[in-house]
Amino acid sequence: MKSALLLSLLFLASPARAWRLWGEPSDKKIRPVQTLSDAHKPAEVIAALTPDFLQTLRGTDLRQAYVLMGDSLDLLGRVDEALGVYQLGVKLFPKNVDLLTRQGDLLHSAGLDEQARVFYLKAIVYEPKHFGAHLGLAEIDRRFGFLDRSASHYETALETLDGRADVWRSYVETLLAQRSWATAGLAIERAIALDPNNPEGHILTAFARRAQGDLTGALAALDAALAHGADIGARRAKALWLVEAGRPGEALVEAALVLKESPGDAAALWARTRVELARGQTADAVLELSPLTAPTRIDFSARAARSLRNTLSSPPKK
């Protein structure tokens, strides 16, 4: 109820009033609320931004109130309310890149990328190097396969976010999709240097090396990822790549470790099946596939397993 009242009072601020306030200096009334936000106290920020208090704000303080209120609602999981606040803020301050990018971010998170793009593009009209807008556009373009544009936006964002390992890793994913191996290698090195204990950089290294035909190097990178706490996905990949590398004994060891953590794991069973087939143990391979061939399963692993089982079980043609 309180939030609904607050939003209704925010609507009372007309566009004409917003333009009158545009450019007014801050009277510093918002600073105590900003301090609460900096201390990661979103509930207290919302409590402080009462309708009566909001009516006293002008210019940049009023604009920042929209930012702080929206951010706090978002942190508390009240995403629809946050979006409403940002929308009102953009109506009053249509050239404010903080509000434009925040509205874009919420729409992007909700999968509404075409709508989000509009706000990001508006933001870079007013601030051409705005890292948040370029980062959002980079993610959207990568999702839709516009890899050259995605890479360009990442590069602009990284001019400001050079210390963000996660952004470097996202940039690497675009570069790998482009098959830009040399640039991807440099970007991976930067990501690992910034965050050496994060396994994701080593996983990206593994996929880059495998894509270039260096399976031995790829497996070594997976080992590094596992040493830094990579999850079961890295071990699945290792089991399958060991089969591909012609190292069946090691593949079975890795598959067993995966199955210990995830009984019935499709990738691990598939790896064991391929090893048994390579050894001529067709009956064992068919048996290995049985957990994946329940008729109620319709996922890709189950369908592939059923197809292989049927092929192996069929009598040879005369």
Side-chain angles (χ1 to χ4, degrees), residues 266 269-270 273-274 277 282 285-314:
L269 291 173
W270 189 267
T273 298
R274 300 309 304 183
L277 285 175
T282 304
V286 171
L287 184 62
E288 200 76 70
L289 291 171
S290 59
L292 301 177
T293 55
T296 54
R297 289 191 58 170
I298 59 172
D299 55 278
F300 174 79
S301 297
R303 287 183 282 119
R306 278 195 290 271
S307 176
L308 180 57
R309 182 198 59 182
N310 293 340
T311 299
L312 297 173
S313 303
S314 299

Side-chain angles (χ1 to χ4, degrees), residues 161-166 168 188-197:
L161 302 176
D162 179 67
R164 286 269 303 273
D166 60 324
W168 280 104
I188 291 170
E189 288 179 7
R190 179 62 178 156
I192 292 175
L194 288 168
D195 193 6
N197 294 322

